[in-house]
Structures are given as structure tokens and as C-alpha cells.
Amino acid sequence: MANPKNLTPPPSEDAALMQRIAQKEQPALGLLYDRYARVMYSLAYKMLGTAEEAEEVVLDVFSQVWRTAERYDSQRGRTDSWLFLLTRSRALDRIRRKQRKAKVIEAVTIATKVSLTTSGMTPEEDLMINDRRQQVKMALAQIPQEQRQIIELAYYQGLSQSQIAKQTGISLGTVKTRVRLGLSKLKKLLKES
């Protein structure tokens, strides 16, 4: 009794096709393509969302089948399951590639915006900022170490006073006092310079 058109062929038919493909019989690859390409295309299209990429995935999979058919082992699984696994894997590879490309583009865009923003300064402004930075560093070096540590944690690492207290094991009141005293000394030193 012949199989109705809507049922998948028995695994033995697919395994026989794979053996013929392993012997580089192109008609066998054509039969396998006719049997599964439409369903594989649907899976790839559902994952990728574009007809072009879905078609490329299906062609990539059948190209791989042609190249690696001799390694296929029907004892390890059904041919259709293997084809769908290959299709899914190729589609996921494309999705990951797109995501990586999008991240690179985003990083380049951000870097370009940052460089445009900083390069928008005149040389005089850049010089003044560098000069002011050096003055702050020299003033910081002149205040007591315990005050400098708290100020650096707050301004260079962006920690809140309660986060500084937790990180250093110093009470919150002491942290607040050291910040106030340190900033007061910094202000005085910066006015003098």
C-alpha cells in the first residue's frame, strides 16, 4: 500500500536516499529536497522573518547534506529530525550573527557620538579642562588619606555615602563627616591655586 501524500515517508526511505546522496547521486538530493524543503523553509522563515534568509538557510542545509551525507547515521536519528535540527541551527546562527552585528553598530555609534561631543571642544576649552583636572589631582593629594579615599569613592566610582559606608565598614556618620571636611579642604586648596 502506497503512502498518502500528506504522510511522511518511512524512515527507511529517507535513510536510503541519504545513502544515495553519500554516493553523490544528485537525483537523490533532489528527491530529499522536494520532500522537505517547504517545511524547512517554513521553520526558517518563522525564526528569521525574511524570505531571502529562509531560502538561504534551506540552501545552506542541503549544501551541508551533500557535503556530509556519508557521515549521517540513520541509527542515531531520523533524517527529517536531522534536517530540522540543521535548519534550526543555521537559523539560530544567523540570528546570533545579526545580534552581534547590531551590538557592534551600536557600540560604534555610541563611540562616534562620544568622540563628536568631546571633539566639539575648542583647544582652549580642552586645555582649561586638563589644567583644572591637574589642579584637582594636586589638591586631592594634599588632603588626609581617609578623606581622599571617601571622596574618590563618591566621585570617581559614583558610590553613594551609604554604599561607601558598607564597602569600607565605616559608619555612615563618619563617611558624611569625612566628605564634608574633605570637600571643604579641597575648596580652600582650589581657591588658593
Side-chain angles (χ1 to χ4, degrees):
M1 183 172 150
N3 279 339
K5 261 189 159 181
N6 61 353
L7 295 179
T8 57
S12 60
E13 282 185 34
D14 287 343
L17 279 178
M18 289 300 297
Q19 287 176 347
R20 290 176 50 205
I21 294 168
Q23 296 168 2
K24 300 302 180 199
E25 291 184 27
Q26 286 184 346
L29 183 66
L31 288 172
L32 193 69
Y33 181 90
D34 291 342
R35 191 172 284 170
Y36 293 109
R38 188 176 306 158
V39 177
M40 292 167 57
Y41 172 86
S42 296
L43 173 64
Y45 183 81
K46 186 173 184 178
M47 292 177 72
L48 298 167
T50 69
E52 296 82 15
E53 286 189 298
E55 289 171 3
E56 287 179 22
V57 164
V58 172
L59 292 176
D60 286 348
V61 169
F62 279 103
S63 175
Q64 181 177 353
V65 167
W66 181 253
R67 288 189 318 271
T68 63
E70 68 277 354
R71 288 186 267 164
Y72 172 75
D73 181 4
S74 62
Q75 301 300 315
R76 294 183 66 197
R78 294 172 44 125
T79 305
D80 57 351
S81 299
W82 180 61
L83 290 171
F84 297 135
L85 181 68
L86 289 175
T87 303
R88 181 180 175 277
S89 178
R90 290 287 172 117
L92 286 173
D93 288 346
R94 285 179 176 269
I95 290 169
R96 288 184 194 113
R97 205 174 312 131
K98 274 198 242 181
Q99 289 171 342
R100 280 193 305 269
K101 187 176 179 181
K103 285 180 183 178
V104 168
I105 290 171
E106 182 182 354
V108 168
T109 303
I110 290 170
T112 303
K113 286 180 183 176
V114 168
S115 69
L116 288 175
T117 305
T118 52
S119 67
M121 292 187 294
T122 66
E124 294 82 18
E125 291 170 329
D126 196 31
L127 187 62
M128 284 177 35
I129 289 171
N130 284 334
D131 185 45
R132 193 65 173 164
R133 185 178 296 129
Q134 289 303 319
Q135 289 175 352
V136 170
K137 282 183 179 179
M138 289 182 356
L140 269 172
Q142 295 177 40
I143 66 173
Q145 167 63 28
E146 61 272 359
Q147 294 170 6
R148 182 174 56 245
Q149 177 192 16
I150 301 297
I151 290 172
E152 287 174 345
L153 289 171
Y155 290 94
Y156 293 141
Q157 293 186 21
L159 299 179
S160 68
Q161 291 179 349
S162 58
Q163 289 172 324
I164 293 170
K166 284 181 187 174
Q167 183 173 330
T168 60
I170 300 169
S171 71
L172 183 58
T174 304
V175 169
K176 290 182 177 191
T177 301
R178 287 182 181 173
V179 167
R180 186 175 40 79
L181 290 173
L183 289 176
S184 176
K185 288 178 185 173
L186 267 179
K187 186 177 178 181
K188 183 179 175 189
L189 289 166
L190 288 171
K191 278 185 181 179
E192 291 173 1
S193 62

